[in-house]
Amino acid sequence: MSRTVLITGNSSGLGRGLSEAYLERGWEVYGVSRRGCRDLTGKLRDIRCDLTDYAAVPLALETLLMGIGHLDVVILNAGILGRVQDMADTSLADIRQVMDANVWSNKVLLDWLLGSGIRIDQIVLISSGAAVNGNRGWGAYAISKAALNMLTQLYAHEFPHSHLSALAPGLVDTAMQDVLCDPDQVDAGRFPSVTRLRAARHTADMPSPGEAGRRIADAIPGLKRLPSGSFSDLRSLDQG
């Protein structure tokens, strides 16, 4: 019997890399994204849905997962960066936009999964080191990922038969890096944490989405050794 994984935000970046990794292993991949990625080969079924359109999410999931009684893994990956700027310059509207995409869409997804009757072995929410680093400029994104970690911990109590994890994937060379590494968009003098990112780009310290997807797929089974609801960083797991 094929193993199954649901991945959100799988049309680009890390989500696409995760899809490729699981398809390479012969898994059945179910994807939800705004653009879709049907150019990938393998056992892929996906549906287009803006996950911040909360009213549309249940129907999209019901359509995509019709007849599915079991998922080995769910990876809630979709999210946005928002602007890199000081908190004093960040409007509540900017914060709400990032929170809607990075936190509340995942609550809607978790609520649907909880009530779906689908047996799920593992749920992994893609977090970030920004959730704990508190570096200048990461404002709304850092707040959203810190909230996502707590969301994971809280829902772990409500999914007694599933193992939940929040996982920071480390540096990944995605379109987000195009923004962070562009001096016209982000001032490294004002926000020095981006200097490390720029130095890591095109090195082994910042793998491609495909390589990062394979590393995460390798690491996910081992997350079950940690308490459900835990936050971990892939880089620490690799060192361990």
Side-chain angles (χ1 to χ4, degrees):
M1 181 180 295
S2 295
R3 305 193 71 184
T4 52
V5 58
L6 169 66
I7 303 171
T8 66
N10 70 317
S11 61
S12 62
L14 180 59
R16 185 180 176 93
L18 286 161
S19 294
E20 291 171 349
Y22 281 103
L23 289 170
E24 288 168 0
R25 297 164 194 225
W27 285 48
E28 293 182 17
V29 175
Y30 296 85
V32 183
S33 65
R34 285 186 295 113
R35 292 181 295 272
C37 57
R38 296 187 180 180
D39 57 312
L40 295 177
T41 59
K43 301 173 183 178
L44 172 68
R45 287 179 57 188
D46 69 350
I47 194 165
R48 295 185 182 186
C49 179
D50 180 350
L51 295 176
T52 62
D53 182 357
Y54 306 142
V57 171
L59 179 58
L61 292 175
E62 288 166 10
T63 302
L64 178 68
L65 300 174
M66 185 179 299
I68 300 299
H70 173 249
L71 289 165
D72 291 281
V73 179
V74 170
I75 305 176
L76 302 183
N77 160 78
I80 61 174
L81 173 63
R83 298 178 183 176
V84 177
Q85 57 187 357
D86 282 333
M87 280 301 298
D89 298 325
T90 305
S91 69
L92 289 176
D94 288 340
I95 295 173
R96 288 192 191 102
Q97 182 182 32
V98 175
M99 291 291 289
D100 285 347
N102 294 0
V103 183
W104 306 134
S105 65
N106 286 313
K107 173 177 166 43
V108 172
L109 287 158
L110 288 167
D111 287 343
W112 187 88
L113 290 168
L114 188 60
S116 69
I118 297 173
R119 182 167 55 89
I120 304 168
D121 294 341
Q122 278 187 272
I123 302 175
V124 179
L125 294 90
I126 297 299
S127 184
S128 170
V132 295
N133 292 337
N135 290 321
R136 183 177 185 177
W138 291 84
Y141 182 77
I143 290 169
S144 74
K145 292 301 185 178
L148 186 72
N149 290 356
M150 181 53 69
L151 192 78
T152 306
Q153 188 173 341
L154 292 170
Y155 269 98
H157 301 296
E158 301 179 34
F159 280 86
H161 305 297
S162 305
H163 186 278
L164 274 67
S165 306
L167 179 67
L171 305 181
V172 184
D173 196 354
T174 66
M176 186 172 84
Q177 302 301 335
D178 293 339
V179 175
L180 295 170
C181 294
D182 183 348
D184 292 330
Q185 298 193 60
V186 181
D187 181 358
R190 188 169 187 176
F191 307 114
S193 63
V194 303
T195 301
R196 180 176 64 90
L197 302 181
R198 293 174 182 178
R201 202 169 197 195
H202 307 307
T203 74
D205 292 329
M206 187 182 289
S208 68
E211 177 58 30
R214 287 187 285 273
R215 291 181 185 179
I216 292 170
D218 287 340
I220 282 176
L223 295 176
K224 283 189 170 183
R225 294 194 292 267
L226 303 173
S228 186
S230 296
F231 165 73
S232 55
D233 191 304
L234 185 64
R235 291 163 292 192
S236 299
L237 297 174
D238 287 343
Q239 293 170 2

